[in-house]
Structure formats: C-alpha cells, structure tokens
Amino acid sequence: MARMTMIEAIRDAMDVKMGMDEDVVVFGEDVGYFGGVFRCTQGLQKKYGKHRCFDAPINESAIVGAGIGMATYGKRPCIEIQFADYVLPAYDQIVSEAARIRHRSNGQFTAPIVIRMPTGGGIFGGQTHSQSPEAIFTHVSGLKTLIPSNPYDAKGMLIAAIEDDDPVIFLEPKRLYNGPFDGHHENAVTSWAKHEKGEVPEGHYTVPIGKAEVVEKGMDVTILAYGTMVYVAQAAAKENNIDAEIIDLRSLLPLDLDTIVNSVKKTGRCVVLHEATLTSGFGAELTSLVQQHCFNHLEAPVLRVAGWDTPYPHAQEWHYFPGPKRVGKALKRVVEAQ
C-alpha cells in the first residue's frame, strides 16, 4: 500500500488504465505538457506520448465532442474539464449525444467516456471556480455521476469509470485534493499522510459504481453526504455529541437506495448535506426518496443543509460554505424533534 493524495490517486488510476489498455487516451486543457492545473495528469504525456495524452484548445464543447466521437469508434477517452464551472458549453454534447447514443442506436453504439472535473469550493475560487453542478447531470438519463471523497475511492472509482461502457461524470472535490477538510477553515491544513483512506493499493482495483459506504455507524440520525461534506458531517456530529450514522454516497447516479433506506429505517431521522445551492439541488431528490421509502419510520422531517441560493461569493466564502456550525444546528433540530 502506498500513501497518496487524491491528486496522486487519480493520476495513478489513469496510469494503470493507460498501461493496460492502449485505447485509453487522456486530453483536455493543459493536461499534456503542463500536467493539468492541479497536476492530476503530470508525467502521463512523457510516459505514453503525445498521441495518448495531449492538450486541447480552450473549447469545452469541442473537447467533449471529440471524446464522444473517439468513444464511438472504440477508444476510451478520459477527458478533463479544467473546472466544473466550465462544463456548461459542453452540456449539449454530454446530454444530447453522449447520454443518448446507446438508446438512439438501439445498443449498436455506446460512449465509454469519462469526463473528469474539479468541483466545489473552499479554495477562494469565487463564483466561476467553486460551483457544484452535480444535479444537472443526475437529471439526465444515460449518465453516471460519481463523487469520491478520498484517495482510495478516487482511484478505484476512476478505474471503474474508465472501464464502464457508458458515459461517466467524475466530479473531484478540489478542496480534498491534498487532504481531508472538515469545514474548520481556521485550523491548519491536514494531509492524507496519516488518514486511513490515504492508503492506496498499487496496481489495478475497482470501487463498485452505485455502492455507498457507511463511514460512521450510529443510532440518532442518518446523514447523507458526499465529497467534502462527508468530513463536515463527521466534525459536526462529534462536536455536538450526536451518534450519527454517516453515509458517503460516492455514486449519485446510480444511487445506492438500499443503504439509505436501511439506515433511515433504523435511525428514524435524516439530514442531507451538499455544498451546491439548496433549490433544486440533489438533496431535494434524496429528501423525496427518503420520504417516499421511509415515511412510516420517520420521527422528524428530513432537513437539508446546503449552499445558499446565490452565486458562490469570494469575499464571504465561509458564510456560504455549509460548515460544522450550520450542520450541527440541523442535527440538533432533527434529533430533538418530538
């Protein structure tokens, strides 16, 4: 087992698959010679050549469109959108082409393409480098949407995504690239060096798509979270002495509904966390599913804690970010409800 940051684990996943399969190609803005803005592809061009790891123009629609074309011809592109905020020009290609090819061709063609992109805030990126757009992808039939929260999952999930025969949106919480973050921005930065999930096996392994992980067992309340919010949930529960069962969803679509339902039926209470804006966020879908499948077991209304319905503010980053204080208030409200 090696110690890795999430950046290194993501790079290692691409390295493993490029070494195993010549049809795997990596490209995007600055991913070749420069190694990507976060260095996730550093060294891949030198190792595999410019024909398998290369730079693309600043044109997200063209990057994704070219990847879809390559995928239908048998390649397995793993492309990078430099920030999730920049994906919107490519949205038509993703929704109208990649997600529909299997259905439209009656199964004659598929689009085995992975679209990687850094997501979320916590790095003072402002409104154009901090958004969390996962809900616009989970709304689309034909896509799979994944968000790892640690290096171990990041490598295993990315390998599984590259091997999948359908398009996968792979969102990488950029605040977690170099270490876990519990929302306490005033504290010193921590690294993955001593975290159990910083241990990453060498070589090939996969983390199943569509399977959540119960990262903390508890009886008071179920917390549904993903990405950075997994660590915020742990901090909030600990600081408020609440015996919470915390589920890291990992895969938003397909969703591991069985794990969610079994937990909520046990605890009778549920809080849903995400960094994206509240209105029409993925938390609304989770809340609806919990109400639908666990209604007779609920002891209190399901609560959501999310970003505010505003652009992500640079100067007020920590007022927007759903930190442990806001999450703690929601947990106490749900647990104390009669």
Side-chain angles (χ1 to χ4, degrees):
M1 300 279 274
R3 285 281 178 182
M4 295 186 187
T5 65
M6 190 181 287
I7 291 171
E8 293 167 336
I10 289 166
R11 184 192 305 138
D12 196 38
M14 289 184 279
D15 188 10
V16 167
K17 286 308 300 177
M18 292 178 82
M20 293 175 62
D21 186 351
E22 290 187 355
D23 287 330
V24 176
V25 294
V26 172
F27 63 98
E29 297 166 14
D30 294 324
V31 306
Y33 177 81
F34 192 60
V37 67
F38 292 102
R39 302 298 190 270
C40 288
T41 56
Q42 191 172 41
L44 295 181
Q45 184 179 89
K46 183 177 181 180
K47 184 173 183 178
Y48 295 102
K50 293 181 180 180
H51 64 295
R52 295 191 61 200
C53 181
F54 53 90
D55 295 322
I58 304 175
N59 186 328
E60 286 76 19
S61 181
I63 292 169
V64 174
I68 294 169
M70 295 170 75
T72 59
Y73 272 85
K75 298 295 183 182
R76 289 187 176 270
C78 182
I79 65 176
E80 178 181 305
I81 302 297
Q82 199 167 79
F83 287 87
D85 315 63
Y86 301 165
V87 76
L88 292 179
Y91 193 65
D92 179 53
Q93 290 284 350
I94 296 170
V95 174
S96 301
E97 305 299 336
R100 307 288 190 239
I101 283 176
R102 179 186 285 275
H103 180 80
R104 193 166 63 211
S105 69
N106 196 28
Q108 295 182 72
F109 294 96
T110 59
I113 181 174
V114 177
I115 304 173
R116 296 179 39 248
M117 52 189 120
T119 189
I123 65 164
F124 289 100
Q127 63 182 359
T128 57
H129 297 80
S130 304
Q131 296 175 79
S132 299
E134 62 269 12
I136 68 172
F137 298 113
T138 58
H139 188 66
V140 179
S141 301
L143 298 178
K144 297 176 181 178
T145 304
L146 312 181
I147 306 184
S149 67
N150 58 74
Y152 177 89
D153 285 349
K155 179 180 175 180
M157 290 166 63
L158 183 52
I159 290 175
I162 294 172
E163 294 177 348
D164 199 282
D165 288 331
D166 289 301
V168 178
I169 304 298
F170 197 84
L171 296 161
E172 302 163 5
K174 64 179 80 74
R175 181 63 206 233
L176 300 182
Y177 270 152
N178 291 300
F181 177 62
D182 63 6
H184 285 293
H185 61 92
E186 69 279 8
N187 293 341
V189 175
T190 57
S191 74
W192 289 111
K194 295 183 179 180
H195 196 282
E196 61 177 340
K197 292 289 187 169
E199 289 190 351
V200 179
E202 297 178 8
H204 180 278
Y205 72 93
T206 61
V207 172
I209 293 173
K211 185 63 178 175
E213 180 185 16
V214 179
V215 295
E216 299 279 356
K217 292 186 178 295
M219 294 299 297
D220 291 346
V221 58
T222 297
I223 304 177
L224 305 182
Y226 49 89
T228 307
M229 298 310 295
V230 172
Y231 303 99
V232 175
Q234 289 177 313
K238 182 178 180 180
E239 291 163 16
N240 290 276
N241 296 313
I242 292 173
D243 185 27
E245 181 142 298
I246 301 172
I247 298 177
D248 180 357
L249 297 179
R250 301 195 294 194
S251 175
L252 305 189
L253 194 70
L255 181 69
D256 186 356
L257 185 58
D258 288 343
T259 296
I260 294 171
V261 170
N262 291 337
S263 177
V264 175
K265 284 183 176 181
K266 179 180 72 172
T267 65
R269 292 171 165 82
C270 184
V271 174
V272 179
L273 312 183
H274 59 68
E275 194 178 333
T277 50
L278 179 71
T279 301
S280 298
F282 189 64
E285 178 69 16
L286 293 171
T287 300
S288 177
L289 287 170
V290 171
Q291 288 286 122
Q292 177 184 347
H293 293 277
C294 307
F295 182 78
N296 291 329
H297 297 266
L298 289 172
E299 302 291 340
V302 180
L303 289 187
R304 290 179 290 160
V305 183
W308 305 120
D309 287 339
T310 68
Y312 209 117
H314 183 276
Q316 304 295 329
E317 175 113 29
W318 305 117
H319 291 282
Y320 179 96
F321 186 90
K325 185 175 181 180
R326 277 172 58 195
V327 175
K329 288 181 178 179
L331 291 176
K332 287 192 287 186
R333 181 178 169 188
V334 167
V335 170
E336 294 170 3
Q338 299 298 319

